């Protein structure tokens, strides 16, 4: 098992490394930007991918990484971790659909609320104590997620048809002109 992440603020890295530490103390994680990421993925059967939601979608960098390394994903078992400040819709589903086209087997996915990095929206700004509480709740969720995975029950957040509609109509169509590039 290996984990790869894209994490500008550290939230996605944190969630991935914490989950992996609970599942397998030998599991490693590294950023997608690391030249060794492709090599490590190629060696493993199971890959955990963590990234932030951007307008209810996987970031362009993450999608490009998957497409540019399309040969890696055939028959890989993949679990997705999507971090968000407020709403994700189908942030896991967007990447899952791409990975499925490339032959990956999607084990499941979770969408974990973490402190938001958007600094220009008063609705998303939180105090230090509020952000600390968000992280504590995320920690408890991740502990529960690890327990479920260890028991063979993989969460499937953001992977269904209803989540797809929520993401599509709740954010992607609204922000389409802002996210095309």
């Amino acid at each position: 098992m290996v984990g790869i992440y894209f994490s500008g603020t550290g939230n996605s890295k944190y969630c991935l490394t914490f989950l992996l530490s609970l599942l397998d103390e030998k599991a490693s994680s590294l950023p997608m930007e690391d030249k060794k990421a492709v090599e490590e993925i190629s060696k493993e059967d199971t890959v955990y991918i963590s990234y932030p939601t951007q307008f209810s979608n996987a970031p362009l960098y993450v999608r490009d990484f998957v497409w540019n390394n399309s040969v890696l994903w055939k028959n890989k078992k993949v679990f997705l971790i999507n971090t968000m400040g407020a709403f994700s819709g189908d942030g896991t589903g967007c990447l899952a659909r791409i990975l499925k086209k490339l032959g990956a087997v999607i084990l499941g996915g979770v969408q974990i609320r973490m402190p938001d990095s958007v600094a220009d929206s008063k609705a998303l700004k939180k105090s230090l104590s509020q952000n600390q509480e968000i992280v504590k709740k995320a920690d408890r969720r991740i502990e529960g997620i690890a327990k479920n995975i260890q028991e063979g029950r993989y969460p499937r957040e953001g992977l269904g048809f209803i989540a797809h509609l929520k993401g599509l109509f709740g954010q992607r169509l609204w922000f389409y002109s802002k996210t095309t590039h």
Side-chain angles (χ1 to χ4, degrees), residues 68-83:
N68 291 339
N69 297 288
S70 59
V71 296
L72 286 177
W73 307 107
K74 181 104 174 125
N75 299 319
K76 289 286 182 200
K77 294 179 219 146
V78 179
F79 187 82
L80 302 167
I81 303 165
N82 179 237
T83 59

Side-chain angles (χ1 to χ4, degrees), residues 3 27-28 36 61 69 74 83 91 107 115 120-121 131 133 149 170:
S28 63
K36 293 183 265 179
Y61 184 88
N69 297 288
K74 181 104 174 125
T83 59
L107 296 172
D120 62 349
S121 172
N131 282 334
E133 188 56 36
I149 291 172

Side-chain angles (χ1 to χ4, degrees), residues 14 17 28 44 50 52 58-59 68 89 115 118 122 131 135 138 148 151-153 159 174:
Y14 176 85
T17 56
S28 63
E44 299 291 337
S50 184
N68 291 339
V118 178
K122 285 184 180 184
N131 282 334
V135 173
N148 285 335
E151 294 171 355
R153 295 187 323 258
L159 299 175
W174 181 261

